[in-house]
Amino acid sequence: MGLSKSSLSAKAPEERRDLILRATVTVVRDRGFAGTRVSDIAEAAGTSPGLVLYHFGSLNGALDAALTLLEDEFHDDLARDLQEQVGPVERLRHMGDLGAGLGPAVGDWRLWLELWVRALHDPGARETRESLDRRWRAALRGVIEEGIACGDFSPADADAAATRLASLMDGLAIQLALDDPDMSPERLIALWWEAAVLELRMNP
Amino acid sequence: MGLSKSSLSAKAPEERRDLILRATVTVVRDRGFAGTRVSDIAEAAGTSPGLVLYHFGSLNGALDAALTLLEDEFHDDLARDLQEQVGPVERLRHMGDLGAGLGPAVGDWRLWLELWVRALHDPGARETRESLDRRWRAALRGVIEEGIACGDFSPADADAAATRLASLMDGLAIQLALDDPDMSPERLIALWWEAAVLELRMNP
DNA sequence: CAGAGTCCTGAATGAGCGTTCAGGATGGCC
DNA sequence: GGCCATCCTGAACGCTCATTCAGGACTCTG
């Protein structure tokens, strides 16, 4: 029995660390930052509270590390996802799908809400939030410019249109995250797409 | 000295209760729901922790009561504010100002963020959130219909336009609440108004 | 195979905080 | 004036955690 126990311990510390990180994201997702305890993370990761602190120094350290993991994955997923699409119209449409939670890139909007509130009080979270937002908006802006270049889009003001479409997505997604009965992924996509058509004066 | 102390106590309990409620809102505004302690509220209200519990039963009771106070005031302020404006265009413009934080009705968007996150985990907050949202959207919807009736607005889809304009306001306001360097009250107003012009096909 | 370093555990510690409570003051009522 | 209900205080209680720590096990190195 000593063996069976030890087969789990001291084995592949990097894997363990990563496991804990993902467990942290999971716990934050349904408990929120404020409700996440060290023991919750440990339990979700199938390990002991001590190990969480061993790897990350403190609860806050684990939360911060989870945040940066999230940021990196978001970046990679988004870049990969968009590359798979051909042409600005398809890419734009795909960003709508991502916003509706259909892809891995945006993930769960509840996490975004949590991040926003944490950003109100924690400088690290504030930076992560800004960085994530910047990347998302830059991607949107890139798609729009691509569309302008090839004649698919002709917005009156590309900058304003990009900001509005990004903000609209946030606002719609809030309702989705909060399970508002008036919102659904399909409706979000439809509403957002119509706004995009309007803003970008798309050529049919 | 016994007198000077007693002059503050046991005097106007309703006032005291209200004072505590307002103190609660203040504390939540800059500490957040998760960071608000009973002693913070007591200190901000210039009273003792015991009294907070005496009036509201528990910390959560105080937070909930503060939330309903907020909801009522929001409702009253919004109705009054809008009545002071003449015509749908003026009213719509005023709603933009309110969203930018210029009026008392919307108050502080940081509180809205906090409310959203609390709504993720607390049923009471969820209801308050939905109610506030409904009222705000109903007001917007009312203004839009008024504008349609008198020919100022002619949106392709009034429902969709209302939802989008409300959501856009939320999304823009998040950046304002988070002190995003790319956002300011003036920019929010301008961006939102342009969207309204576009969505509602306003007659100039 | 001995020793050292790394990884891991879970019980102990101690701080922070919600809540309780015993008691004091006030104001109204008879 | 005496009495009672209400209002109010702040010290004390007890619980919930984050964090510490002493020790055990594994892996690698020589």
Side-chain angles (χ1 to χ4, degrees):
Chain A
M1 340 91 165
L3 275 179
S4 76
K5 185 179 184 182
S6 54
S7 71
L8 276 177
S9 69
K11 189 180 168 190
E14 279 309 309
E15 264 178 46
R16 222 77 190 311
R17 198 189 135 97
D18 202 61
L19 196 67
I20 293 174
L21 230 35
R22 290 180 192 287
T24 304
V25 173
T26 304
V27 175
V28 170
R29 200 194 313 276
D30 51 53
R31 288 249 213 292
F33 277 106
T36 296
R37 323 251 158 270
V38 175
S39 57
D40 294 332
I41 298 174
E43 192 178 355
T47 182
S48 66
L51 191 61
V52 178
L53 280 301
Y54 173 79
H55 277 304
F56 301 101
S58 69
L59 172 59
N60 251 291
L63 296 176
D64 288 348
L67 235 37
T68 45
L69 170 73
L70 223 55
E71 191 185 344
D72 293 344
E73 289 200 334
F74 172 82
H75 183 239
D76 296 347
D77 287 356
L78 182 58
R80 182 170 39 67
D81 265 27
L82 286 183
Q83 257 183 343
E84 285 172 5
Q85 308 298 318
V86 288
V89 175
E90 272 314 300
R91 276 199 248 275
L92 191 66
R93 195 184 294 275
H94 192 64
M95 287 190 80
D97 293 348
L98 289 180
L102 303 187
V106 174
D108 195 329
W109 278 100
R110 280 180 300 166
L111 271 178
W112 257 237
L113 278 183
E114 295 281 353
L115 177 59
W116 289 337
V117 168
R118 183 156 229 248
L120 285 175
H121 308 105
D122 176 87
R126 170 179 299 256
E127 255 175 71
T128 304
R129 200 291 302 184
E130 272 192 27
S131 171
L132 282 165
D133 216 41
R134 235 193 319 273
R135 281 175 173 170
W136 174 256
R137 280 158 204 256
L140 181 58
R141 188 64 218 269
V143 170
I144 290 177
E145 274 166 3
E146 190 187 356
I148 293 175
C150 74
D152 285 341
F153 309 151
S154 50
D157 179 339
D159 249 333
T163 302
R164 273 196 293 261
L165 287 176
S167 301
L168 175 62
M169 178 64 81
D170 287 347
L172 292 170
I174 290 166
Q175 289 160 265
L176 208 56
L178 292 173
D179 269 323
D180 194 302
D182 297 338
M183 191 51 59
S184 69
E186 299 76 34
R187 188 158 134 83
L188 182 147
I189 292 175
L191 285 167
W192 194 72
W193 188 252
E194 286 169 21
V197 170
L198 212 61
E199 285 276 0
L200 303 176
R201 304 174 185 279
M202 268 189 235
N203 300 326
Chain B
M1 338 91 168
L3 274 181
S4 77
K5 187 180 184 182
S6 56
S7 71
L8 276 178
S9 69
K11 189 179 168 190
E14 278 310 308
E15 265 179 46
R16 222 79 192 309
R17 200 189 133 95
D18 201 63
L19 196 67
I20 292 174
L21 230 36
R22 291 181 191 287
T24 304
V25 174
T26 304
V27 175
V28 170
R29 200 196 311 278
D30 52 55
R31 289 248 213 292
F33 276 106
T36 296
R37 323 254 155 268
V38 175
S39 58
D40 294 332
I41 297 175
E43 192 178 356
T47 182
S48 68
L51 191 61
V52 177
L53 281 300
Y54 173 78
H55 277 302
F56 301 101
S58 68
L59 171 59
N60 252 290
L63 296 177
D64 287 348
L67 235 37
T68 44
L69 170 72
L70 223 55
E71 190 185 347
D72 293 343
E73 289 201 333
F74 172 82
H75 183 240
D76 297 345
D77 287 356
L78 181 60
R80 183 169 39 66
D81 266 27
L82 285 183
Q83 258 182 341
E84 284 173 5
Q85 309 297 319
V86 289
V89 175
E90 271 314 300
R91 276 199 248 277
L92 192 66
R93 195 184 294 276
H94 192 66
M95 287 190 80
D97 292 347
L98 289 180
L102 304 187
V106 174
D108 194 330
W109 278 101
R110 279 179 302 166
L111 271 179
W112 257 237
L113 279 183
E114 295 282 352
L115 177 59
W116 289 337
V117 168
R118 184 156 227 250
L120 285 175
H121 308 104
D122 177 87
R126 171 179 299 256
E127 256 175 70
T128 304
R129 198 292 302 185
E130 271 191 27
S131 170
L132 282 165
D133 216 39
R134 237 192 320 271
R135 282 173 173 173
W136 173 257
R137 280 159 202 255
L140 181 60
R141 188 64 214 271
V143 170
I144 290 176
E145 274 165 4
E146 192 187 356
I148 293 174
C150 75
D152 285 341
F153 309 150
S154 50
D157 179 340
D159 249 334
T163 302
R164 273 195 292 261
L165 287 176
S167 300
L168 176 61
M169 179 64 82
D170 287 347
L172 292 169
I174 289 165
Q175 291 160 266
L176 208 55
L178 292 173
D179 268 326
D180 195 302
D182 296 338
M183 191 51 61
S184 69
E186 299 76 33
R187 189 158 134 81
L188 181 148
I189 292 175
L191 284 167
W192 194 72
W193 188 252
E194 285 169 19
V197 169
L198 212 59
E199 286 276 0
L200 303 175
R201 303 175 186 278
M202 269 188 235
N203 300 325

